[in-house]
Amino acid sequence: SKATVSVLNCSIRRDSLLPPPPPLDMASNSDLDKHIEKLKKCEIIKEADVKSLCKKAKEILVDEPNVQVVYSPITIVGDIHGQFYDLKELLRVGGDVPDTNYLFMGDFVDRGFYSVETFLLLLALKARYPDRVQLIRGNHESRQITQVYGFYDECLRKYGSVNVWRYCTEVFDHLALSALVENKVLTVHGGLSPAINSLDQIRTIDRKQEVPHDGAMCDLLWSDPEDIDGWGLSPRGAGYLFGGDVVHQFNTHNKIELITRSHQLVMEGYKSMFNDTLVTVWSAPNYCYRCGNVASILELDEHLQRNYKIFEAAPQEARGIPAKKPTPDYFL
């Protein structure tokens, strides 16, 4: 029995020498900082870390309303589409997180080469700085679309299974459908819907689902402005075309000054329509690595004054692709 007592005493003394575990928040932030550091180098994180990151992000996003309340100053960003090095260029031009508040209007994935790293970096920044980074859903944040346009295949190629794609698409279902800056600027990925006259009708949508093929939620993510009167059929096969009279009526009814949206390539980076009551912001320069367009971000200051910052694709040497070296003479 004496031996037993000494062993117990020894174990008690040894435990008392261990430092107390850090608070959960501190441990979590430390992990997130490591993930952000790694993802900023365009390196993927482990599958288990993706799973925990997505869980953390869902816990934050589930409490956000369909019309997320946002305050100025804020920088509004359009489509990124997996163009990771152009996202880094965007953060260089606009200011890094958490020094700058960002609102991303969706379409983080598909088409580009680095959808995994792009979405996970944005998600890690959201989890680490939830009040500084706002993410709303685009039409490409969808199971069906990502199986066609690249994100599904990229997850499979980089992780060897579809688990990461599943974790990310669950996060998609939790993303807000829109955001309202200072009750004056509505941001949405696509546009308006004939089924929605008021912001309260957006607030009542059950968003935690795959993007439907039609209806109000679908329209918010798929519709486009056009120089027409009223509503028109969309050539995309989803959503609608809507004219300046529709925007005027919606903005007046909801006391809104501006609608910002993305969803359409704009060669000049942004396009203002309907007497400056709607603007398309496009943030993927040289889209699909071949379109030759510039990109933009929209800065709104404390008084909602607008400043568009134009930027070009990241230079080749910043893309992590080794430059071609001249062939040595003896091979010629």
Side-chain angles (χ1 to χ4, degrees):
S1 64
K2 284 181 182 177
T4 307
V5 169
S6 66
V7 167
L8 283 172
N9 285 340
C10 180
S11 88
I12 290 166
R13 281 197 299 273
R14 198 159 53 239
D15 283 354
S16 67
L17 294 173
L18 294 171
L24 281 176
D25 284 0
M26 197 182 297
S28 175
N29 284 345
S30 170
D31 288 343
L32 287 170
D33 286 337
K34 287 174 188 168
H35 297 338
I36 289 167
E37 186 181 348
K38 189 164 189 183
L39 288 163
K40 277 187 173 179
K41 298 174 190 169
C42 203
E43 297 173 4
I44 60 171
I45 57 176
K46 294 176 188 170
E47 183 179 311
D49 292 330
V50 176
K51 186 177 183 179
S52 62
L53 170 59
C54 288
K55 182 173 181 289
K56 167 88 172 165
K58 284 190 292 183
E59 288 166 1
I60 294 166
L61 294 168
V62 75
D63 291 330
E64 294 185 352
N66 288 346
V67 184
Q68 174 71 330
V69 178
V70 179
Y71 300 99
S72 59
I74 189 98
T75 298
I76 298 174
V77 181
D79 292 23
I80 302 291
H81 279 301
Q83 296 184 198
F84 177 84
Y85 290 100
D86 297 321
L87 171 60
K88 284 191 73 175
E89 179 70 7
L90 184 159
L91 294 172
R92 188 189 68 77
V93 169
D96 213 343
V97 180
D99 302 326
T100 302
N101 300 324
Y102 281 101
L103 167 50
F104 292 85
M105 295 190 289
D107 278 15
F108 317 112
V109 299
D110 284 339
R111 300 192 188 276
F113 296 144
Y114 305 101
S115 290
V116 169
E117 295 86 348
T118 298
F119 183 61
L120 293 180
L121 175 59
L122 292 175
L123 209 58
L125 289 170
K126 172 66 179 176
R128 179 66 175 86
Y129 306 105
D131 297 328
R132 298 284 189 181
V133 177
Q134 311 301 333
L135 306 175
I136 67 174
R137 193 171 190 172
N139 64 305
H140 278 261
E141 277 69 63
S142 141
R143 289 165 185 79
Q144 189 173 358
I145 298 294
T146 52
Q147 286 183 73
V148 177
Y149 290 99
F151 182 52
Y152 176 91
D153 294 326
E154 188 183 321
C155 290
L156 191 58
R157 189 172 69 252
K158 289 179 178 176
Y159 284 96
S161 80
V162 298
N163 292 342
V164 164
W165 175 79
R166 286 205 183 101
Y167 303 146
C168 291
T169 53
E170 285 174 16
V171 174
F172 294 168
D173 292 345
H174 286 71
L175 293 169
L177 301 178
S178 63
L180 188 61
V181 184
E182 302 286 357
N183 291 315
K184 292 294 181 188
V185 179
L186 176 68
T187 66
V188 65
H189 178 72
L192 300 178
S193 168
I196 294 172
N197 297 313
S198 71
L199 295 176
D200 283 340
Q201 287 173 296
I202 301 178
R203 292 182 176 109
T204 60
I205 294 171
D206 175 15
R207 76 172 190 259
K208 293 176 187 69
Q209 57 173 313
E210 172 69 348
V211 180
H213 293 291
D214 52 26
M217 179 171 163
C218 168
D219 298 342
L220 291 171
L221 274 53
W222 279 93
S223 292
D224 296 300
E226 187 60 80
D227 288 317
I228 58 171
D229 290 328
W231 299 93
L233 290 175
S234 173
R236 296 179 186 268
Y240 290 86
L241 302 177
F242 57 94
D245 55 336
V246 173
V247 172
H248 176 74
Q249 189 176 348
F250 184 87
N251 287 6
T252 303
H253 180 73
N254 294 283
K255 299 183 173 65
I256 289 169
E257 294 174 359
L258 176 69
I259 295 173
T260 68
R261 43 91 64 181
S262 189
H263 193 45
Q264 282 178 299
L265 168 64
V266 181
M267 294 302 290
E268 300 79 21
Y270 71 96
K271 180 182 181 183
S272 184
M273 296 178 72
F274 313 138
N275 297 318
D276 268 355
T277 58
L278 178 144
V279 65
T280 299
V281 178
W282 184 263
S283 302
N286 193 28
Y287 181 42
C288 295
Y289 311 109
R290 67 172 183 269
C291 286
N293 60 288
V294 295
S296 78
I297 50 179
L298 169 56
E299 296 179 336
L300 297 177
D301 69 10
E302 294 86 347
H303 310 291
L304 300 182
Q305 293 299 306
R306 307 172 202 173
N307 177 40
Y308 296 95
K309 278 193 170 171
I310 306 292
F311 65 100
E312 296 186 354
Q316 192 64 40
E317 59 269 18
R319 292 187 172 274
I321 302 169
K324 287 186 179 176
K325 294 179 181 175
T327 309
D329 290 342
Y330 48 83
F331 284 129
L332 295 174

